[in-house]
Amino acid sequence: MNTTTPVISPLRQRMIVDMRMRKLAPRTQIGYIRAVRHFAGYLGRSPDQASAEDLRRYQLHCVDRGVSPITLNATITGLKFFFEVTLGRAELMAKMRPVPVAQTLPVILSREEVGRLIESARNLKHRTALSVAYGAGLRASEVIALKVADIDSTRMVLRVEQGKGRKDRYALLPPLLLERLRAWWRAGRAEGKLLPNGWLFPGRDPLDPMTTRQLNRVVHEAAALARIDKRVSMHTLRHCFATHLLEQKEDIRVIQVLLGHKKLETTALYTQVATATLREVISPLESTRPA
């Protein structure tokens, strides 16, 4: 059987080196390469031969095709890196403009729905992983990156290494979550799935962690079994964590730290979905009620 190795052009190789030099995340590198590849396909020639007008027409082409604002802005960011960094021709991006993204409110489950969702997961490992996502407010990528050694039962915290933005932080470790983690640790060790200093949630091969795709399948299946009709993902559990804390009157700046948000405005979004808090506000209409 003959196998061929894809030929990487010198231009693409130079862009790859530029991204590696800046230590861009692997997914970011893939997105940037994809953006340049799609633009080159539209252009019909090497992208280093493009003009500012070619780029302007390409943005209009994407808009006419119905490309979402998020995807369009990601494309512009990738092209911006290519033309400004790799080619050193920032002036070509002068007519490319990011577009506003409509702000949508996250789906929030009630505490009862979260409990049903977690209990509907098919096995102990999955139930524990969902408990971590909700109980500590972690992203799916942070859940799968946890190792057994990241559980600090003395200080009652979880160590999150290199979360979003490549930052370490500590997350909550409530007593009930610690109980569930210990139950999973005993079961996982007995089955030979948990290795010393290994992944807290290993995949089929204990040397590898679960993937975010696997976790999302778990939460979708659990939502179906729990008969939850709302659109649910792993990130929904993180949204619920923040919203429920806000409804418990926790300080929003504390919640910001627990979530690892860089900006307070990002955390403030949850004030719009904390319905228990909103229900406590007295409308001025009430003051017009007849005596």
Side-chain angles (χ1 to χ4, degrees), residues 3-17:
T3 58
T4 58
T5 302
V7 177
I8 299 179
S9 70
L11 188 60
R12 178 178 294 191
Q13 184 60 45
R14 182 178 175 184
M15 182 179 179
I16 291 172
V17 170

Side-chain angles (χ1 to χ4, degrees), residues 245-263:
L245 283 183
L246 198 59
E247 292 177 342
Q248 292 171 195
K249 308 298 184 184
E250 298 295 341
D251 187 279
I252 193 169
R253 293 190 179 277
V254 174
I255 299 173
Q256 177 190 0
V257 172
L258 292 174
L259 291 173
H261 283 164
K262 184 177 181 181
K263 298 180 180 179

